Amino acid sequence: MQLILAQDIAVILPEMTLAIYAMVALMWGVFSRSAQTASVIIWITALAFLALAVWIGFSPEGTRTAFSGAFTDDFYARFAKITILASMSVLLVISREYLERSNLLKFEFPALIAFAVLGMMMMVSASDLMLLYMGLELQSLALYVLASFHRDSARSTEAGVKYFVLGALSSGILLFGASFVYGYSGTTLFSGIAASAENEMSFGLLYGLIFILVGLAFKISAAPFHMWAPDVYDGAPTPVTAIFATAPKVAALMLLARLLFEAFGAAQADWQMIIAVLSVASMFLGAIAAIGQTDIKRLMAYSSISHMGYALAGLAAANAEGLRSMLVYLVIYVVMNLGTFALILSMRRDGRQVTLIAGLSLYSQQAPARALSLLVLLFSLAGIVPMAGFFTKFYVFLAVMNADLLWLAIAGAIASVIGAYYYLRIVYLMYFGQEAEQLDEPMSVLAQSVLLVAALAMVVGVINLFMLNDFADNAVQALLG
């Protein structure tokens, strides 16, 4: 028993380290009387995330399991964890200045993010329905609080309440589905569910799977379960909006892929069309609804919905090629959003936050380099040649066509053309808009660096996508065996 426990702890040591750090940081913040405590904790947390990413990157190769197969540490999980940790580290650093200017620089912010990241790391390693739910709720509970972090703002409080109520509903739906799966398979382990599905894919198992898919579709804001995203993105503090748009999407989608392939691989014909319908609905709703938006945070909410549709299209291919294209798409999507939100976080006028798209009118005359960087990122988000965003969409569509889902690829191409409008509208305003009061000039060196590096990555990355295809291949092989 002691040997088994020691082996289990060795597998989950990164998660245990992060959990201990999060609790220590929380206690440090509570008992410290220094005004600089929050800023110091942010920097230490960001460095801790990077250190964990390096640690995980150099972990022993192969697949390790803990707790009788409930927790899986393989290259697939490590790929996700490194993406999550690196993106959250960058977001913490570029958020510090915004939080300080908005009087929101409190120690609870990095502590809550640490708990949310811990939940995400558990999600991508979950091979059991109970561990899946634990990770999902740990992430969600931290994000509920972060959404309403600006306590003096009615909009932030409203965003937190909306997210909490709808999130609790989606969690209940997911648990309802999990209870059906457990009842008909007699186990919560993915391997046990897969064995049961291979013997007989009963109506109860399929019924449970549908409810689980609904619960997870809410977490990635896939249409028609997207209703929370625009209001929450708009009302939450901008750093929190940036968080919603990046790492949690990666965690939830990669969890969904593990669930479908590990537990319900035998039911591919049953879930493939469900994922494809969610994909089409998300692509078109995000593309069309974003057209009339005047607030850049709401626009990014609908952009996120649309991009989740493209990622789901890769998953709908239900093969190694489609899964690889989804992983590459997610990483490039995160980089594009990091760069875009680095600029959004710095949009201020007379010391006050500006979120109206019109605030970027003729921005190219004020800051040519930053405007050009944003142009590159917007072109990449729109999937315009020759940016990296185009090639990620191309790989997704190619995988979909090779899976005999030509109609899905055509739908994605049409939605991409529609979606290009609202990205190009921002570019038009930056270069040909009407004269307007300029934004405040100061932008932190770190935020500028993230913006410029992200834009440069979209151009340089077209050569070989920084070998992402190779890493994604290894991750897919680890998942599919």
Side-chain angles (χ1 to χ4, degrees):
M1 181 66 182
Q2 289 180 346
L3 179 61
I4 294 174
L5 183 59
Q7 291 173 347
D8 293 340
I9 290 176
V11 175
I12 66 165
L13 201 53
E15 283 77 12
M16 284 187 63
T17 303
L18 181 56
I20 292 169
Y21 168 76
M23 290 185 283
V24 169
L26 195 60
M27 290 299 99
W28 179 18
V30 169
F31 291 106
S32 175
R33 297 182 181 275
S34 172
Q36 299 300 317
T37 300
S39 184
V40 172
I41 293 177
I42 280 183
W43 281 106
I44 294 177
T45 304
L47 291 173
F49 286 168
L50 286 180
L52 277 173
V54 173
W55 180 5
I56 291 169
F58 286 97
S59 296
E61 294 184 6
T63 299
R64 300 183 299 167
T65 60
F67 308 114
S68 303
F71 185 97
T72 302
D73 176 43
D74 54 10
F75 197 91
Y76 178 81
R78 292 193 281 273
F79 182 94
K81 290 174 186 178
I82 292 171
T83 303
I84 291 165
L85 287 164
S87 62
M88 293 301 279
S89 177
V90 172
L91 277 174
L92 265 177
V93 170
I94 64 175
S95 298
R96 194 198 64 81
E97 185 181 11
Y98 176 97
L99 295 169
E100 188 173 20
R101 289 184 175 185
S102 304
N103 295 319
L104 294 174
L105 188 57
K106 305 181 189 300
F107 71 88
E108 293 95 334
F109 187 83
L112 285 167
I113 287 179
F115 283 115
V117 170
L118 175 60
M120 295 177 210
M121 292 173 69
M122 291 173 62
M123 287 166 62
V124 296
S125 283
S127 291
D128 181 274
L129 292 176
M130 293 177 67
L131 190 62
L132 176 157
Y133 183 73
M134 287 173 60
L136 193 64
E137 284 307 293
L138 180 56
Q139 172 211 266
S140 298
L141 288 171
L143 294 181
Y144 295 153
V145 180
L146 286 170
S148 55
F149 197 73
H150 194 176
R151 291 178 297 178
D152 297 329
S153 168
R155 292 173 64 199
S156 179
T157 303
E158 180 185 353
V161 171
K162 284 182 178 178
Y163 189 38
F164 171 72
V165 171
L166 292 173
L169 175 63
S170 73
S171 295
I173 292 172
L174 187 146
L175 278 177
F176 184 66
S179 68
F180 264 89
V181 172
Y182 173 70
Y184 279 85
S185 66
T187 180
T188 57
L189 284 171
F190 289 0
S191 56
I193 297 168
S196 180
E198 283 179 2
N199 293 332
E200 181 188 3
M201 188 61 191
S202 64
F203 177 76
L205 278 177
L206 182 59
Y207 194 70
L209 172 61
I210 291 171
F211 277 95
I212 293 175
L213 287 177
V214 169
L216 292 177
F218 172 90
K219 300 301 179 183
I220 61 172
S221 63
F225 310 104
H226 67 283
M227 66 290 292
W228 62 274
D231 289 340
V232 174
Y233 274 54
D234 185 24
T238 307
V240 180
T241 304
I243 291 169
F244 282 137
T246 51
K249 307 288 189 189
V250 175
L253 258 176
M254 294 192 71
L255 163 64
L256 176 60
R258 186 184 288 278
L259 172 73
L260 292 177
F261 282 100
E262 279 194 0
F264 293 97
Q268 176 184 317
D270 296 305
W271 57 256
Q272 184 179 31
M273 194 53 61
I274 298 174
I275 299 298
V277 170
L278 288 175
S279 170
V280 171
S282 300
M283 288 188 291
F284 277 95
L285 185 136
I288 295 171
I291 291 175
Q293 301 304 316
T294 57
D295 186 284
I296 197 164
K297 289 168 69 176
R298 292 185 73 89
L299 184 143
M300 292 304 292
Y302 286 110
S303 168
S304 174
I305 294 167
S306 186
H307 280 282
M308 288 304 100
Y310 299 118
L312 283 170
L315 183 57
N319 56 28
E321 185 184 3
L323 190 54
R324 181 179 67 245
S325 69
M326 185 193 82
L327 298 186
V328 174
Y329 192 96
L330 286 174
V331 175
I332 297 299
Y333 164 78
V334 166
V335 175
M336 292 187 294
N337 272 266
L338 286 174
T340 305
F341 272 100
L343 181 62
I344 295 173
L345 283 164
S346 68
M347 288 175 59
R348 306 184 78 87
R349 184 179 292 128
D350 299 327
R352 301 183 64 181
Q353 177 73 18
V354 174
T355 59
L356 290 177
I357 298 171
L360 290 169
S361 188
L362 290 182
Y363 189 62
S364 60
Q365 296 181 7
Q366 178 185 348
R370 296 201 290 267
L372 179 61
S373 298
L374 183 59
L375 177 147
V376 170
L377 290 169
L378 292 172
F379 274 19
S380 190
L381 282 165
I384 295 175
V385 180
M387 308 306 169
F390 165 79
F391 291 98
T392 56
K393 282 186 180 178
F394 175 75
Y395 292 146
V396 167
F397 294 157
L398 192 62
V400 167
M401 288 189 291
N402 290 339
D404 295 326
L405 293 172
L406 180 61
W407 64 272
L408 181 55
I410 294 172
I414 295 171
S416 188
V417 171
I418 296 171
Y421 169 78
Y422 56 82
Y423 295 119
L424 296 178
R425 180 160 60 98
I426 300 176
V427 174
Y428 174 83
L429 281 172
M430 286 197 300
Y431 285 88
F432 308 106
Q434 297 179 348
E435 191 119 4
E437 189 177 349
Q438 290 190 341
L439 297 173
D440 293 348
E441 185 58 32
M443 184 177 180
S444 70
V445 175
L446 284 168
Q448 287 191 69
S449 300
V450 171
L451 172 63
L452 295 174
V453 169
L456 187 63
M458 294 305 105
V459 178
V460 178
V462 302
I463 299 172
N464 66 352
L465 290 177
F466 303 105
M467 296 179 64
L468 271 177
N469 275 321
D470 296 334
F471 292 120
D473 263 332
N474 292 335
V476 171
Q477 289 172 18
L479 180 65
L480 302 183

